[in-house]
Amino acid sequence: LTYSKFSVVISKVSTGSYKRQVYEVPSGKQLVDQAVIDRITWATWTSVLGDEVIGIWSRHAEKADVNCACVSHSGINLVTGDDFGMVKLFDFPCPEKFVRNFFWFASLQQEVLLILWSCIASLEDGRISFSKFV
């Protein structure tokens, strides 16, 4: 789930159709007006779908290849995990298709299903820390 800045809207990915769905809280009403959705300021971002993350998908990726994403606390970096055990770091947002300028790291798992930033994650000193690969 991804929460808006004031937690009045949540976003989730429908696993069957690979569509991003946005709902008002607490009514549960689905938002379908793209202009309204585009104006939402998100407090978190954990979705692999949306105009803001089109660039995480490689030219030959299938829908199920990228499993997870998480935006840094500063909102300027996005980390993803995929079926190939790769952890990739992108600028956020990355709305251009097939972004090539990203960093990648090999994890010890065959696939990365969940990735989160630690509370002290920073790129300023040249080190990157993630709290969890699952």
Side-chain angles (χ1 to χ4, degrees):
L1 290 176
T2 301
Y3 295 91
S4 68
K5 187 172 182 179
F6 299 107
S7 297
V8 294
V9 177
I10 60 172
S11 172
K12 74 174 196 116
V13 174
S14 173
T15 56
S17 63
Y18 285 92
K19 294 190 180 191
R20 182 173 160 212
Q21 299 170 337
V22 179
Y23 297 91
E24 290 180 343
V25 175
S27 73
K29 179 184 168 199
Q30 185 174 0
L31 296 176
V32 293
D33 185 354
Q34 191 60 45
V36 172
I37 295 170
D38 289 343
R39 289 193 304 269
I40 297 171
T41 300
W42 297 100
T44 63
W45 189 279
T46 56
S47 178
V48 296
L49 299 178
D51 292 338
E52 298 87 343
V53 293
I54 289 174
I56 68 173
W57 298 92
S58 70
R59 192 172 303 277
H60 306 290
E62 295 180 12
K63 286 183 177 177
D65 286 348
V66 181
N67 300 318
C68 54
C70 188
V71 170
S72 63
H73 303 296
S74 63
I76 61 172
N77 297 108
L78 174 80
V79 65
T80 64
D82 64 28
D83 279 349
F84 311 105
M86 301 301 292
V87 174
K88 296 178 182 175
L89 180 69
F90 298 88
D91 291 333
F92 184 79
C94 53
E96 313 257 338
K97 285 186 176 182
F98 316 124
V99 171
R100 290 184 180 200
N101 56 341
F102 59 85
F103 295 100
W104 61 270
F105 311 90
S107 73
L108 299 176
Q109 286 84 10
Q110 289 180 332
E111 61 183 339
V112 179
L113 300 175
L114 173 69
I115 190 163
L116 303 169
W117 290 91
S118 70
C119 62
I120 57 169
S122 171
L123 296 177
E124 293 175 12
D125 60 3
R127 292 182 294 142
I128 302 170
S129 71
F130 306 105
S131 69
K132 185 164 250 186
F133 297 146
V134 177

